[in-house]
Amino acid sequence: KAGVTQTPRYLIKTRGQQVTLSCSPISGHRSVSWYQQTPGQGLQFLFEYFSETQRNKGNFPGRFSGRQFSNSRSEMNVSTLELGDSALYLCASSLGHPSDEQFFGPGTRLTVL
Amino acid sequence: AQTVTQSQPEMSVQEAETVTLSCTYDTSENNYYLFWYKQPPSRQMILVIRQEAYKQQNATENRFSVNFQKAAKSFSLKISDSQLGDTAMYFCAFMKGNYGGATNKLIFGTGTLLAVQP
């Protein structure tokens, strides 16, 4: 069974631009969660989608948004990029219940110049 | 709000020896899950072990075991017979177990960087 895939793996943008990251979950998984990982703030929850609905949202500004498609693939978008948005963005997929294992993707490394 | 604290930023252990990583958490929930995740250098995060709060028995997975003290809100990870491949950042994580409106929000600690020395 294929694992969680994230594209692109690396991305360089400049301040003010916007970016879209993609996450393809494991086949059959309906939940996709997004996390931001930085040296200063650690791993922080962005949001979770389940069956195309946002089920939970972390404490991030409205510049961070996401969506999930009917095939469970998810995208997250960051508009008006800031230097502080430079991070490793991880997505994780699961069947949907807290007791179900979450499988992480390799991440997208975003650098904002 | 829930918090997870890992007080050991870095640890080192000799190959074949045993090491224990500490984790404490704070929550008013009674139903929750605790996890240890491993993130090797430049590699994907993988689940090492998980514990359901309602289970008194400590979880074990081969060389990995936990010491879950619910009253003390402590959740330590013991790695036995350490191997070079165990070198990684280890994160302790918490998740609420809301059966009525389940969400998969993991709250992570700051991590412990474990180096296994040959």
Side-chain angles (χ1 to χ4, degrees):
Chain A
K1 187 186 268 192
V4 179
T5 58
Q6 291 187 245
T7 56
R9 292 293 309 278
Y10 301 92
L11 207 49
I12 299 175
K13 292 286 187 179
T14 56
R15 278 182 300 174
Q17 288 187 311
Q18 75 163 13
V19 68
T20 298
L21 312 181
S22 180
C23 173
S24 292
I26 290 172
S27 177
H29 285 190
R30 296 165 65 189
S31 167
V32 174
S33 301
W34 288 89
Y35 294 86
Q36 181 195 64
Q37 186 175 21
T38 61
Q41 299 298 315
L43 280 151
Q44 294 185 287
F45 174 81
L46 280 155
F47 29 65
E48 184 217 359
Y49 286 87
F50 180 80
S51 293
E52 301 180 67
T53 300
Q54 188 179 84
R55 197 156 67 164
N56 203 347
K57 189 178 190 305
N59 296 323
F60 279 81
R63 301 186 295 107
F64 292 81
S65 62
R67 59 178 174 168
Q68 186 179 34
F69 302 94
S70 58
N71 62 357
S72 293
R73 188 178 71 85
S74 177
E75 289 181 346
M76 68 163 280
N77 183 276
V78 188
S79 63
T80 320
L81 283 166
E82 300 177 0
L83 295 178
D85 297 333
S86 294
L88 181 66
Y89 290 88
L90 299 170
C91 80
S93 79
S94 79
L95 291 170
H97 189 273
S99 65
D100 298 319
E101 182 174 350
Q102 290 200 49
F103 293 84
F104 282 81
T108 294
R109 173 75 62 184
L110 171 65
T111 302
V112 182
L113 302 176
Chain B
Q2 291 80 27
T3 58
V4 178
T5 302
Q6 293 180 251
S7 58
Q8 304 154 315
E10 295 183 28
M11 291 192 73
S12 181
V13 64
Q14 292 295 125
E15 204 174 358
E17 294 191 343
T18 296
V19 64
T20 299
L21 279 55
S22 301
C23 172
T24 59
Y25 59 96
D26 188 26
T27 184
S28 58
E29 302 285 331
N30 196 48
N31 179 25
Y32 53 88
Y33 298 84
L34 294 165
F35 307 85
W36 279 97
Y37 282 90
K38 169 185 176 181
Q39 188 177 39
S42 302
R43 292 183 62 186
Q44 287 174 234
M45 183 107 66
I46 58 173
L47 177 66
V48 175
I49 198 167
R50 66 180 161 188
Q51 175 82 41
E52 292 93 336
Y54 64 86
K55 288 187 177 179
Q56 291 186 337
Q57 186 173 7
N58 289 326
T60 61
E61 287 287 344
N62 300 314
R63 298 182 295 108
F64 300 88
S65 62
V66 298
N67 184 2
F68 174 46
Q69 301 291 326
K70 190 172 184 179
K73 295 180 182 174
S74 170
F75 183 62
S76 61
L77 174 70
K78 185 172 84 171
I79 305 174
S80 304
D81 186 25
S82 297
Q83 301 175 0
L84 295 178
D86 295 333
T87 292
M89 182 72 89
Y90 287 82
F91 293 97
C92 178
F94 170 98
M95 182 187 292
K96 287 198 295 185
N98 296 329
Y99 290 94
T103 69
N104 289 336
K105 177 181 178 179
L106 282 165
I107 298 170
F108 287 92
T110 52
T112 296
L113 182 60
L114 176 67
V116 179
Q117 307 292 344

